[in-house]
Amino acid sequence: MMPLLQVTGLDAWYDRSHVVQGISFEVHAGEIVTLMGRNGAGKTTTLRTLMGLLARSAGQITFAGHQLQGKPAHLRYHLELAYVPEDRRIVAGLTVRQNLQLGLIASARRGETDAMIEEIAATFPRLKERLEQEATSLSGGEQQMLAIARAMMARPRMILLDEPSEGIMPVLVDEMFELFGRMKQQGTTILLVEQNVERALSISDRAYILDQGHIVHTGTAAELLADTDIQNRYCAV
Ligand code: ATP
């Protein structure tokens, strides 16, 4: 079967700095795949390039049979590819409910907003209790969940998550990883960038290790979880 996301020879630059150097990888429908690697390895840049947010990039990105490279960023939304950046982009001055509404604002399915909020609230009980609260009054972890929930409003086929557990208290990290398991069960494909290597591998099917803009290793999550040598070499922060 064709992968849902197929990336071939992807390059990305910031000015003249060549940050992603010809990487190839794939994600099949229904998988959770983790991109690992030290700070500065190029993980965030890879996600941003997939989303069409880099001024200069090259290579092939095929998502659900569509060529994405060179296409405007908003096309991804309509093809049901979602992205939750590290900084979450929660809108201050709006409630949790209103932030969720934004997740469908550009969609042909806008009419289903209320029904989708009900559905999302069932998956995110913490948000359900706080729908009318001002969104930036949520804790960091709750805001992260809101960012994920908002992206899920559009029922993406695949979601790219950048360091969702960063700076979040442990009890919410546990909840968040359980949530990823549930999202997978409900059919969402996930590409995860995480420093929390053991946690990420424990819920992943496979992983790729990035180092200085190259993929230096790939394997099943179980293989990589057992390989402390590789983890120490490429994933120490
Ligand atoms: P981290 O976990 O620290 O976010 P990362 O693996 O996600 O690391 P990137 O953020 O993709 O790494 O950064 C890769 C390289 O690109 C780094 O050397 C970084 O300094 C550089 N870089 C990132 N953003 C920019 C930018 N806007 N302009 C110039 N260089 C950048």
Side-chain angles (χ1 to χ4, degrees):
M1 206 169 68
M2 242 182 68
L4 180 59
L5 175 72
Q6 173 113 49
V7 176
T8 311
L10 191 72
D11 287 284
W13 292 263
Y14 292 109
D15 296 320
R16 261 175 288 166
S17 150
H18 192 185
V19 173
V20 172
Q21 303 191 11
I23 66 173
S24 299
F25 64 95
E26 60 195 39
V27 181
H28 291 267
E31 279 191 310
I32 299 182
V33 172
T34 296
L35 266 183
M36 305 170 10
R38 287 198 197 94
N39 284 327
K43 306 179 298 295
T44 296
T45 306
T46 299
L47 298 190
R48 298 191 67 232
T49 309
L50 296 180
M51 292 309 288
L53 299 173
L54 261 266
R56 188 174 165 213
S57 64
Q60 283 202 329
I61 305 165
T62 310
F63 177 71
H66 299 264
Q67 276 298 330
L68 297 188
Q69 181 63 3
K71 302 271 170 59
H74 63 79
L75 182 81
R76 276 85 171 159
Y77 177 83
H78 297 290
L79 291 176
E80 300 171 339
L81 175 61
Y83 172 47
V84 181
E86 227 174 330
D87 65 6
R88 302 168 197 154
R89 316 264 167 92
I90 298 305
V91 183
L94 297 187
T95 62
V96 169
R97 180 187 297 280
Q98 289 166 331
N99 268 274
L100 289 173
Q101 287 167 346
L102 293 177
L104 269 183
I105 201 153
S107 167
R109 293 179 31 248
R110 249 172 102 171
E112 298 167 30
T113 301
D114 289 345
M116 269 316 288
I117 290 180
E118 288 288 305
E119 195 178 312
I120 289 284
T123 316
F124 294 78
R126 243 170 218 281
L127 299 180
K128 186 177 185 169
E129 294 160 21
R130 296 170 172 82
L131 283 174
E132 314 312 329
Q133 195 171 319
E134 203 275 330
T136 56
S137 71
L138 298 178
S139 76
E142 290 162 356
Q143 288 189 40
Q144 183 66 54
M145 288 198 187
L146 174 55
I148 297 168
R150 185 178 54 192
M152 293 300 290
M153 284 286 291
R155 281 194 213 275
R157 273 188 272 197
M158 178 167 179
I159 187 164
L160 315 181
L161 300 172
D162 198 352
E163 307 246 2
S165 77
E166 198 185 22
I168 290 178
M169 59 180 176
V171 57
L172 276 191
V173 174
D174 290 346
E175 258 184 54
M176 195 169 290
F177 277 86
E178 278 166 29
L179 175 69
F180 299 154
R182 256 177 292 153
M183 283 160 58
K184 175 183 160 115
Q185 274 170 15
Q186 291 168 6
T188 312
T189 305
I190 301 177
L191 179 60
L192 181 64
V193 164
E194 259 294 336
Q195 295 283 356
N196 200 335
V197 168
E198 281 189 22
R199 290 308 290 272
L201 289 176
S202 71
I203 60 154
S204 294
D205 297 290
R206 297 184 300 112
Y208 292 90
I209 300 181
L210 261 178
D211 190 49
Q212 297 180 43
H214 298 273
I215 287 175
V216 292
H217 204 83
T218 182
T220 64
E223 280 163 9
L224 289 165
L225 207 47
D227 197 336
T228 46
D229 183 41
I230 288 276
Q231 286 178 37
N232 291 336
R233 194 154 7 135
Y234 295 113
C235 303
V237 177

